[in-house]
Amino acid sequence: RAARMSPQATDRIARAGAVLRAWPRSALGFWRRSLRLRVVTAIVVLSALVVGSVGWMVMRQITDGLVQSRVDASVAEARTETATARERLGSAGGNDFDPDTQLRLLVENLVARGEVKGFDVVVLGPVGDGSTTGGVRTTPAVVTASVPPSLRKSVEGGANGLAWTFTRIRYSDTSTRHTDQPGVAVGSTVVLPSDGGTYALYYLFPMGEELQTLLLLRRVLLTAGALLLVLVAGVAALVTRQVITPVRLARRVAERIA
């Protein structure tokens, strides 16, 4: 058997429903009557559009500048490292070491230099001329999938010079100081004198610092924009009050005289 509501509860629910139904009409009426509210709202909305547009343009320009600077520095560093590796291999000769030892020394040297200069290394080879990948050597914990397939196709397909692209550097053990992060991948090739094979060198330059800078900049811009809008709203409210109050007084005086 359903419980019956008391008359007092029914009356309270009815009054609450009436208030909720009347609220939109009251708000609309207040909006129409209050010139100050309409003026302040219009000024704040227009200011928000201007501040948002300027902030977006500033953020876009700074982002493009940081990214382009990182790409240029990464490509230059990879070019230098590749030239150094080729010079070392050329001076070693083809009879000084067996292929495994020569490759191991090459990778160890690149990994050591990467730890100092802040990049990771992936070495694949031999590649090219229809050969299949003979092995993979990387900086510890770096996953080979960090090298995009498009970059591998370009480098291992026999492209001359350097090739680069954006990537996400992945690590097999994220519990250490390494965490997956965006980066720039630059690829090139060297020839191992001991076996004459071509090996692909991939340099992975993390962009974690640039990402943190952009996040900090975005927070600063959002905070500054919000404070600016609050200031604009306060100034607009003050100015409209100073303008509207004399008009209202003059209207009341005119109504009394009439």
Side-chain angles (χ1 to χ4, degrees):
R1 186 176 181 180
R4 295 183 179 180
M5 298 180 61
S6 63
Q8 294 82 0
T10 304
D11 185 59
R12 286 196 298 268
I13 294 175
R15 287 200 300 269
V19 171
L20 291 177
R21 289 192 297 270
W23 183 83
R25 292 193 298 269
S26 300
L28 182 59
F30 180 73
W31 171 265
R32 292 177 177 176
R33 292 191 304 269
S34 178
L35 177 61
R36 183 188 305 174
L37 177 61
R38 296 198 300 271
V39 172
V40 172
T41 302
I43 292 176
V44 171
V45 170
L46 292 176
S47 300
L49 292 176
V50 173
V51 171
S53 300
V54 173
W56 180 84
M57 291 177 60
V58 171
M59 190 71 180
R60 183 65 181 270
Q61 291 180 354
I62 294 177
T63 301
D64 292 343
L66 283 176
V67 171
Q68 188 59 47
S69 176
R70 184 53 170 163
V71 169
D72 293 342
S74 300
V75 172
E77 185 67 33
R79 181 177 289 110
T80 300
E81 293 298 327
T82 300
T84 302
R86 289 173 178 170
E87 182 179 355
R88 287 176 177 272
L89 292 175
S91 61
N95 299 320
D96 293 344
F97 304 98
D98 61 272
D100 290 338
T101 302
Q102 198 169 56
L103 180 60
R104 177 177 56 80
L105 293 176
L106 170 65
V107 174
E108 289 177 353
N109 181 264
L110 289 173
V111 170
R113 294 173 67 87
E115 291 178 351
V116 175
K117 297 186 177 182
F119 62 84
D120 298 317
V121 178
V122 176
V123 180
L124 304 176
V127 298
D129 296 330
S131 62
T132 58
T133 301
V136 179
R137 293 168 175 81
T138 69
T139 300
V142 174
V143 178
T144 309
S146 301
V147 181
S150 59
L151 181 62
R152 291 189 56 178
K153 182 179 180 181
S154 176
V155 173
E156 297 171 21
N160 295 324
L162 300 177
W164 70 271
T165 187
F166 295 108
T167 186
R168 185 164 189 83
I169 305 176
R170 299 178 174 86
Y171 299 93
S172 59
D173 185 9
T174 56
S175 61
T176 61
R177 62 183 180 87
H178 297 294
T179 56
D180 295 354
Q181 57 184 315
V184 179
V186 185
S188 63
T189 58
V190 295
V191 177
L192 208 64
S194 57
D195 63 357
T198 300
Y199 291 79
L201 308 180
Y202 297 100
Y203 307 90
L204 306 176
F205 297 89
M207 299 182 65
E209 294 183 0
E210 288 77 8
L211 180 60
Q212 293 299 322
T213 301
L214 292 177
L215 291 177
L216 176 61
L217 177 62
R218 184 173 65 180
R219 288 195 296 267
V220 170
L221 290 177
L222 289 176
T223 302
L227 294 177
L228 180 60
L229 290 180
V230 172
L231 178 62
V232 169
V235 172
L238 179 61
V239 172
T240 53
R241 181 179 181 180
Q242 293 177 348
V243 172
I244 293 175
T245 298
V247 175
R248 286 181 175 176
L249 293 176
R251 186 187 65 182
R252 293 175 182 175
V253 171
E255 289 177 351
R256 291 178 181 178
I257 295 175

